Amino acid sequence: MSARNALFIPGPSNMPDAIRQAMDIPLEDQRAPDFPQFTLGLFRDLKKVFKTEQGQVFVFPGSGTGGWEAALTNTLSPGDRVLAARFGQFSHLWVEMCRRLGLEVDAIEGEWGEGAPIEAYAERLAADKDHRIKAVLVCHNETATGVTSDVAALRRALDAAGHPALLYVDGVSSIASIDFRMDEWGVDLAVAGSQKGFMLPTGLAIVAVSPKAMAAAAEAKSFRCYFDFADMARTNKEGYFPYTPATTLLRGLRASLDLLEREGLEQVFQRHHRLAEGVRQAVAAWGLKLCARHPRWHSDTVSAIVLPAGFDSNVVVRHAYERYNLSLGVGLAKVAGRVFRIGHLGSLNEIMLLGALAGTEMALADQAIPIELGSGVAAAQAHYALPRQATHVFPRRAVGA
Ligand SMILES: Cc1ncc(COP(=O)(O)O)c(C=O)c1O
């Protein structure tokens, strides 16, 4: 295959050169006296991305799944009751993890393609008069279906019920790409991973913890060792870690935070929205539908696109890879074979995405899916280009002027 693979899966995302170069360094001494000068700034700036002043952010070697486990095992005891909704593969896997860790899960079965069922959460919280539910879990951006949920509304439901449970948010495919407000939304545990909005290689599980969750950690009885918040908090205070940190990735994280800060978080969110909207226009122009059933759930980091009956999305994704060196996301679990996904998160601009849309169109057309070549690209271009000024005529310069 010639040239570089076009990576349009919903994470890992494209890595900017500034991050790659920041990691092209000799290995370093994680106990050096000047190491904290570097790490303390990282902890400070990570808090801005989570929009928390009160919370504490821990960076573990791991991936998003490790972050889930850290959040649960530090704050809950075996047998504790957890309220969670399943409406896609990632919310499903988090529920499965709870069960494997010996927690008792009250699982709300949501529809794949819909957002977190806030009303169902509210009903169960209101009914839980003796506050047996200790934890409420929600997946902010369900990467399997391309659905973003309303975390603030879930916080309102908790408050309306006067319920003291901790609020846990999976922000693996939202944080640093889609607006997320830890303090304002009263989130107690927020989980992110390095390979999506942070544009880094996989390898860091980033977990933000509220003071209330830290207090719960002091009482919680679940076994934990490697992911222990207390060990992290004790050593992080001085700028160090309880074991060898992934220093090279931390250098990349510094570059990532600098990039996010330079662009401005709000601009990063707006860029994701504009790019995502172009993809949605393309999908409409192809005559296809998103898995997300209502615009209020449209994800700005990933679009899951449903193929007409009789076509296999796995064949399209495989063909896109083999013929055009374009990586698209497959459909997962319940929607395997029916859905394919375009990841549009991280370091990305219009031109890159138009290339991906052009490749997707060819892969669809090659598999006899009835779309018109160029239609999606044109729709996205119309969205990305400056507004047309039909009456504007450029003045001609006089010859010799
Ligand atoms: C929403 C969400 N949660 C959790 C995970 C699991 O993260 P990881 O694969 O980094 O362990 C993913 C991975 O894609 C995800 O998209």
Side-chain angles (χ1 to χ4, degrees):
M1 286 191 201
S2 58
R4 184 189 279 189
N5 170 254
L7 187 64
F8 285 86
I9 56 172
S13 61
N14 291 284
M15 183 161 55
D17 290 343
I19 293 183
R20 192 194 316 271
Q21 285 157 7
M23 295 190 297
D24 186 8
I25 48 164
L27 296 180
E28 61 190 301
D29 172 5
Q30 79 277 9
R31 299 189 208 281
D34 57 357
F35 194 61
Q37 282 169 23
F38 163 57
T39 53
L40 293 174
L42 276 185
F43 303 147
R44 180 195 61 221
D45 293 342
L46 272 171
K47 287 170 63 157
K48 296 183 200 156
V49 178
F50 283 79
K51 294 195 179 163
T52 182
E53 286 180 9
Q54 299 156 19
Q56 217 171 329
V57 185
F58 298 123
V59 185
F60 294 99
S63 70
T65 307
W68 282 348
E69 184 162 333
L72 297 173
T73 55
N74 275 281
T75 52
L76 296 167
S77 304
D80 274 356
R81 198 167 181 85
V82 171
L83 177 64
R86 299 201 264 205
F87 49 99
Q89 181 63 359
F90 294 98
S91 42
H92 163 74
L93 288 174
W94 208 9
V95 164
E96 288 305 299
M97 176 184 275
C98 288
R99 295 208 163 121
R100 287 168 69 172
L101 291 171
L103 302 167
E104 198 186 309
V105 191
D106 183 359
I108 305 167
E109 302 301 334
E111 293 291 325
W112 285 45
E114 295 188 2
I118 305 296
E119 280 172 18
Y121 275 101
E123 277 166 23
R124 299 205 193 185
L125 288 166
D128 184 38
K129 299 285 180 224
D130 49 359
H131 298 162
R132 286 195 56 226
I133 296 168
K134 300 289 177 230
V136 176
L137 271 54
V138 69
C139 182
H140 185 203
N141 188 76
E142 179 45 88
T143 321
T145 55
V147 156
T148 304
S149 290
D150 189 350
V151 177
L154 185 52
R155 163 47 61 196
R156 286 196 295 276
L158 274 154
D159 291 347
H163 204 293
L166 295 171
L167 177 57
Y168 298 60
V169 179
D170 172 348
V172 173
S173 61
S174 61
I175 291 170
S177 309
I178 296 173
D179 194 13
F180 178 81
R181 307 177 188 192
M182 175 149 176
D183 286 359
E184 192 181 316
W185 298 345
V187 173
D188 293 297
L189 292 124
V191 178
S194 49
Q195 77 275 20
K196 301 197 193 247
F198 287 99
M199 307 167 283
L200 289 159
T202 315
L204 299 177
I206 307 171
V207 185
V209 186
S210 75
K212 185 172 159 191
M214 282 306 282
E219 308 296 327
K221 302 279 184 296
S222 291
F223 289 121
R224 72 256 185 191
C225 178
Y226 191 72
F227 289 131
D228 198 302
F229 288 168
D231 292 345
M232 266 290 179
R234 196 169 44 250
T235 46
N236 279 183
K237 200 157 47 142
E238 311 294 337
Y240 295 103
F241 289 81
Y243 38 72
T244 316
T247 50
T248 312
L249 289 176
L250 295 181
R251 292 287 167 187
L253 179 58
R254 179 66 268 162
S256 159
L257 293 169
D258 290 345
L259 287 174
L260 291 170
E261 172 134 25
R262 199 170 319 140
E263 185 174 351
L265 260 191
E266 304 312 312
Q267 281 74 21
V268 169
F269 302 151
Q270 279 169 26
R271 173 170 55 81
H272 278 80
H273 182 67
R274 188 176 73 252
L275 294 176
E277 196 50 44
V279 173
R280 293 190 276 266
Q281 302 278 342
V283 173
W286 294 332
L288 298 179
K289 290 216 164 357
L290 290 169
C291 186
R293 296 203 189 142
H294 192 279
R296 71 177 179 280
W297 295 316
H298 282 168
S299 165
D300 286 341
T301 56
V302 52
S303 292
I305 300 153
V306 184
L307 286 190
F311 294 100
D312 183 346
S313 61
N314 287 324
V315 175
V316 173
V317 171
R318 188 185 174 106
H319 178 71
Y321 184 78
E322 289 178 344
R323 166 86 191 170
Y324 300 113
N325 203 2
L326 166 65
S327 282
L328 299 169
V330 289
L332 299 173
K334 261 191 202 178
V335 290
R338 289 178 41 221
V339 153
F340 72 95
R341 296 173 298 153
I342 302 178
H344 32 80
L345 74 168
S347 176
L348 210 58
N349 65 18
E350 291 85 348
I351 304 302
M352 294 161 81
L353 208 36
L354 286 167
L357 291 172
T360 304
E361 283 184 348
M362 293 189 288
L364 290 167
D366 289 352
Q367 296 304 319
I369 292 158
I371 61 132
E372 195 182 323
L373 282 179
S375 61
V377 170
Q381 282 176 317
H383 182 71
Y384 298 148
L386 291 175
R388 302 294 82 202
Q389 292 173 316
T391 54
H392 185 84
V393 177
F394 287 100
R396 283 177 192 274
R397 267 201 222 168
V399 177

